[in-house]
């Protein structure tokens, strides 16, 4: 192995070792993304709720819906074979997410499910437009100038819970004749309060709508007594089975790249970048040093052209114009025979027509050349130098 290669490898190994040593004692940065994924143990995941949900709904069956849409799940439970069409299941559909993750067709199916005497609990910051329009609701955001926000339920005996969040979303418009207010949020320093939890009837069932899904995250369920607030919110739900929609909250979009673990660890990620950068430098410098010199080859001299020029100058200096004319005529006719397969025994009208059709040259130019050749052959005695120029020009028109 070349000595320089050993040096490159040693330097890269040293850099990698230093990065790993430095990163080993560094605390892993906290991931504050609001994923609301049931498998995430980060602050805004739902891992704790996933493990404790059976405790919130004691003596009730909790069924998770992880792989299909609400429409696909509920439609498969609809019984059309009986005289009175109804769902095979009874209970409450729930969904907890940062924002709306339910498609419009599924929302319509949830409405149909609720209309048959069931319920739906949705806790999210932004609700589907179809749901808001149907239930005559409006959502607004009001920035509370405080680092802490208080949440409490409508029952006056209910305790107020202080959350370390600037909670903003609330119901700014409700149907007061049909809607029951279940909860509020506000600040300790302000008397202003906003509605964040409501119960809305729809035909034979009810919608329970909540605008603070952060209350169900790992961060709050593990902090002080905040779990009691989440427990109180869910306690309003009627008794019955729970159907928890968790599709889109299982981190289905995990990268399938073989490097996903390396890229997920800051130390390994930077080590990988240094390795690629080092290899690039090595390739550039190593290729530059060992590139083979490409020799410059001179093109071969065209001796035929030089020979032709020499013979031409010889004839010209001798002043033998007739000999030059004869040779040009011979070479011209030879070219017509080899390239166009034309008989040159007689230079008559037939020859002119064939040459015109095969070369596409002007028939007048061909007639002029044939006339000059025949005139020369008939030993017309004129200026041989002028004849040479005229015949040469006539031939050039045909062969170029």
């Amino acid at each position: 192995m070349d000595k320089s290669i050993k040096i490159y490898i040693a330097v890269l190994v040293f850099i990698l070792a230093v990065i790993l040593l430095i990163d080993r004692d560094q605390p892993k940065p906290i991931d504050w993304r609001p994923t609301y994924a049931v498998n995430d143990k980060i602050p805004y995941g739902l891992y704790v709720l996933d493990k404790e949900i059976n405790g919130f709904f004691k003596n009730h069956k909790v069924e998770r819906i992880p792989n299909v849409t609400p429409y696909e799940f509920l439609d498969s439970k609809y019984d059309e074979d009986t005289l009175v069409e109804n769902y095979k299941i009874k209970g409450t559909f729930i969904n907890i997410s940062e924002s709306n993750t339910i498609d419009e067709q599924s929302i319509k199916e949830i409405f149909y499910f609720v209309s048959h005497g069931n319920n739906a609990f949705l806790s999210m910051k932004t609700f589907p437009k179809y749901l808001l329009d149907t239930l005559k609701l409006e959502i607004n955001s009001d920035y509370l100038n405080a680092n802490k926000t208080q949440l409490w339920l409508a029952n006056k005996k209910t305790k107020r819970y202080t959350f370390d969040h600037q909670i903003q979303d609330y119901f700014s418009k409700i149907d007061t004749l049909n809607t029951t207010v279940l909860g509020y949020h506000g600040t300790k320093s302000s008397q202003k309060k906003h509605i964040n939890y409501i119960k809305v009837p729809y035909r034979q069932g009810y919608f329970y709508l909540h605008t603070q899904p952060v209350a169900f995250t790992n961060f709050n369920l593990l902090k002080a007594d905040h779990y009691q607030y989440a427990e109180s919110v869910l306690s309003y739900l009627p008794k019955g089975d729970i159907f928890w929609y968790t599709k889109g909250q299982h981190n289905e979009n995990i990268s399938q790249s073989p490097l996903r673990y390396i890229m997920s660890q800051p130390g390994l990620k930077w080590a990988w970048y240094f390795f690629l950068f080092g290899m690039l430098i090595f390739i550039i410098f190593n290729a530059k040093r060992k590139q083979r010199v490409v020799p410059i080859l001179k093109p071969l001299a065209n001796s035929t052209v030089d020979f032709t020029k020499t013979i031409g100058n010889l004839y010209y200096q001798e002043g033998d114009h007739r000999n030059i004319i004869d040779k040009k005529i011979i070479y011209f006719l030879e070219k017509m025979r080899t390239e166009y397969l034309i008989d040159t025994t007689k230079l008559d009208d037939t020859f002119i027509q064939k040459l015109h059709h095969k070369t596409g040259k002007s028939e007048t130019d061909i007639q002029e050349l044939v006339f000059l050749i025949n005139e020369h052959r008939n030993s017309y005695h004129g200026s041989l130098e002028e004849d040479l120029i005229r015949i040469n020009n006539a031939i050039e028109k045909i062969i170029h």
Side-chain angles (χ1 to χ4, degrees):
M1 184 181 294
D2 189 80
K3 184 178 180 180
S4 61
I5 297 179
K6 293 181 180 178
I7 294 174
Y8 282 124
I9 295 176
V11 171
L12 288 175
V13 171
F14 175 75
I15 294 174
L16 176 61
V18 171
I19 293 173
L20 292 177
L21 287 174
I22 294 174
D23 187 69
R24 184 184 63 178
D25 298 328
Q26 295 294 325
K28 187 176 180 180
I30 299 175
D31 186 355
W32 291 98
R33 290 177 301 135
T35 62
Y36 288 81
V38 294
N39 291 331
D40 277 351
K41 298 180 182 180
I42 59 178
Y44 293 128
L46 297 181
Y47 179 81
V48 175
L49 179 63
D50 182 57
K51 299 302 178 184
E52 300 297 331
I53 193 168
N54 290 320
F56 287 129
F57 298 104
K58 296 178 181 179
N59 303 321
H60 297 293
K61 175 185 175 183
V62 177
E63 181 178 351
R64 292 164 178 78
I65 312 171
N67 299 318
V68 295
T69 64
Y71 171 79
E72 293 171 322
F73 174 77
L74 296 175
D75 186 64
S76 66
K77 304 298 182 180
Y78 190 69
D79 190 0
E80 298 179 348
D81 297 332
T82 59
L83 294 176
V84 180
E85 296 181 357
N86 206 338
Y87 286 90
K88 302 175 185 177
I89 57 174
K90 286 287 184 181
T92 303
F93 172 90
I94 70 173
N95 178 235
I96 302 170
S97 59
E98 170 76 1
S99 56
N100 175 41
T101 58
I102 305 175
D103 60 279
E104 185 173 340
Q105 187 63 37
S106 294
I107 287 294
K108 293 179 180 179
E109 185 66 28
I110 292 172
F111 267 94
Y112 199 63
F113 177 68
V114 172
S115 69
H116 283 72
N118 298 291
N119 307 284
F121 173 80
L122 305 177
S123 181
M124 55 185 66
K125 292 183 178 180
T126 57
F127 290 88
K129 187 176 184 304
Y130 180 83
L131 182 143
L132 296 176
D133 292 342
T134 304
L135 300 180
K136 300 178 181 179
L137 304 172
E138 288 185 7
I139 295 285
N140 202 351
S141 295
D142 186 11
Y143 180 76
L144 301 177
N145 189 19
N147 293 327
K148 298 181 182 295
T149 307
Q150 289 189 332
L151 280 74
W152 67 94
L153 299 178
N155 189 333
K156 293 183 179 180
K157 297 180 182 180
T158 302
K159 177 182 176 181
R160 294 195 176 200
Y161 300 88
T162 302
F163 283 71
D164 297 329
H165 303 281
Q166 295 176 339
I167 296 174
Q168 305 173 31
D169 304 286
Y170 64 94
F171 293 101
S172 59
K173 178 182 177 182
I174 61 175
D175 183 359
T176 55
L177 295 178
N178 298 309
T179 303
T180 302
V181 177
L182 302 179
Y184 301 93
H185 76 252
T187 61
K188 188 175 182 180
S189 59
S190 174
Q191 297 299 321
K192 183 188 294 185
K193 64 179 181 180
H194 293 308
I195 300 171
N196 66 4
Y197 189 22
I198 58 175
K199 174 184 176 182
V200 186
Y202 183 75
R203 297 187 182 176
Q204 300 180 35
Y206 292 91
F207 276 96
Y208 295 82
L209 306 179
H210 185 249
T211 63
Q212 270 78 55
V214 70
F216 300 97
T217 59
N218 301 328
F219 181 83
N220 286 301
L221 289 181
L222 296 177
K223 186 172 183 178
D225 56 357
H226 290 182
Y227 72 92
Q228 295 177 359
Y229 173 76
E231 190 175 46
S232 299
V233 169
L234 297 177
S235 67
Y236 278 96
L237 302 183
K239 295 181 179 180
D241 294 338
I242 300 297
F243 307 100
W244 185 13
Y245 175 57
T246 60
K247 180 177 172 60
Q249 297 168 221
H250 277 269
N251 293 337
E252 293 95 337
N253 296 324
I254 295 176
S255 171
Q256 299 301 314
S257 170
L259 299 175
R260 63 178 179 272
Y261 180 75
I262 292 177
M263 302 308 291
S264 67
Q265 305 299 317
L268 293 177
K269 180 174 70 173
W270 280 107
W272 175 250
Y273 289 153
F274 272 113
F275 169 74
L276 294 179
F277 181 70
M279 288 300 298
L280 179 62
I281 294 177
F282 168 75
I283 291 172
I284 292 174
F285 282 94
N286 202 49
K288 184 178 180 180
R289 289 179 57 193
K290 295 190 176 182
Q291 184 176 6
R292 188 170 60 181
V293 178
V294 179
I296 300 175
L297 299 178
K298 294 183 179 180
L300 296 174
N302 191 344
S303 57
T304 304
V305 175
D306 294 337
F307 174 76
T308 304
K309 289 181 178 179
T310 301
I311 297 301
N313 290 332
L314 179 62
Y315 280 117
Y316 184 77
Q317 290 174 2
E318 291 294 327
D320 193 356
H321 298 106
R322 178 176 291 279
N323 195 5
I324 296 176
I325 294 173
D326 291 339
K327 284 183 168 50
K328 290 192 72 68
I329 293 173
I330 291 171
Y331 294 149
F332 169 72
L333 297 178
E334 174 64 20
K335 184 178 180 65
M336 298 302 102
R337 287 193 296 271
T338 55
E339 289 192 12
Y340 300 109
L341 304 177
I342 300 176
D343 184 14
T344 60
T345 305
K346 293 182 179 181
L347 303 183
D348 52 10
D349 292 340
T350 302
F351 172 80
I352 294 172
Q353 291 297 322
K354 288 183 179 180
L355 187 58
H356 169 64
H357 291 306
K358 291 195 174 185
T359 62
K361 301 296 182 179
S362 171
E363 187 174 352
T364 302
D365 292 340
I366 297 173
Q367 289 174 348
E368 180 183 358
L369 175 58
V370 170
F371 171 76
L372 293 174
I373 293 174
N374 289 332
E375 188 179 44
H376 175 74
R377 285 179 172 179
N378 292 331
S379 300
Y380 170 76
H381 299 289
S383 175
L384 292 177
E385 185 174 356
E386 292 180 1
D387 290 346
L388 174 59
I389 294 173
R390 291 170 61 194
I391 290 176
N392 180 72
N393 292 337
I395 290 174
E396 291 293 325
K397 290 181 181 180
I398 304 303
I399 64 175
H400 292 294

